[in-house]
Amino acid sequence: MAPPEPDPPVVTSFRNEQVKFVRSLAVGKFRREHGAFVAEGLKLAGTAREMDWPVRMVAYDAAAPRGGFLDVVLDWARARDARLLPVTAEILGAMTAKDNPQTVVGVFDQRTLTLADVTPRPGATWVALEQVRDPGNLGTIVRTADAAGAAGVILVGTCCDPFSIEAVRATMGSIFAVPIVRADAVAFAAWAARWPGSIVGTHLAGTVDYRAAAYRDPTLLVMGSEGPGLTDATAALCTDLVKIPMAGRADSLNLAIATALMIYEIRRPALGRV
Ligand SMILES: C[S@@+](CC[C@H](N)C(=O)[O-])C[C@H]1O[C@@H](n2cnc3c(N)ncnc32)[C@H](O)[C@@H]1O
């Protein structure tokens, strides 16, 4: 058996070009330019490995204990021709600006789909988010879609970046498992007009309780933006407008919470019991 490959020399300078590249990916403009994003932590790198997601670089704490899962991830990255970058803990921490830095920071290709890639298969639930603004909400929704077995998430109009560090962090690895589609509002409207099942909009003016609606399969769930909610044009596309009842003084639910309730209600027959 061939001896394991030696690690590259440890990078100790913030002026190193690769270190500067990883840090630049904190900015959306550079993420778009390079079609790349950063995911931090061994857990996320492990999910990327499971999904064999295209990996460009793995930076890691040169002082981290070896012989465990870190080596599994590094072996995978090496086999995928990714660059391995052993760095100091200080540099690793600066790559994600987190108080408790992880042992690994990976750089991955961005991958999104278009509406032409979406097939409304029987049993599928797709989640469309109109102008979602908050990366934490978006990441949480991607994670929930994954947990509940939804087919994917469609970003309609100008949305926050699903590949920002905050959004990726909130997905807890589901960014590598859930297809993400981007569409402008006009294309989405034309595409949705041919959807064969229910198009369920969630609206504070909805008159049907979300637990009482009959969801026709496949289901397209449409959620409004954190600020203004669903636009009139998108609400008009929906076959059903449902509301989640509220009893207290809150005038609405958080978008990610409302989406989670909806996905679990729509997928209740498919999910069965634990
Ligand atoms: C924070 S709310 C937006 C509130 C906004 N001011 C409005 O009037 O719709 C974000 C999205 O979550 C969903 N949502 C929140 N609470 C809801 C509820 N009680 N019933 C149905 N949908 C809800 C809707 O999709 C809404 O567009």
Side-chain angles (χ1 to χ4, degrees), residues 87-174:
V87 296
T88 62
E90 198 192 358
I91 290 180
L92 202 66
M95 282 175 168
T96 56
K98 215 179 169 202
D99 292 341
N100 51 339
Q102 307 273 352
T103 49
V104 160
V105 168
V107 176
F108 301 93
D109 283 3
Q110 293 189 11
R111 280 205 305 210
T112 54
L113 304 177
T114 67
L115 290 170
D117 301 311
V118 177
T119 312
R121 291 188 206 290
T125 306
W126 280 87
V127 182
L129 305 176
E130 188 180 39
Q131 295 174 22
V132 55
R133 298 285 187 224
D134 183 297
N137 278 344
L138 175 51
T140 303
I141 291 168
V142 170
R143 180 181 180 183
T144 308
D146 186 13
V153 172
I154 304 171
L155 302 179
V156 183
T158 306
C159 292
C160 63
D161 184 358
F163 298 109
S164 70
I165 191 83
E166 298 84 2
V168 170
R169 197 177 278 158
T171 72
M172 289 296 287
S174 296

Side-chain angles (χ1 to χ4, degrees), residues 68-99:
F69 194 59
L70 173 58
D71 283 82
V72 174
V73 166
L74 294 181
D75 286 346
W76 164 69
R78 196 183 278 116
R80 289 287 168 271
D81 289 330
R83 183 188 287 267
L84 302 192
L85 199 72
V87 296
T88 62
E90 198 192 358
I91 290 180
L92 202 66
M95 282 175 168
T96 56
K98 215 179 169 202
D99 292 341

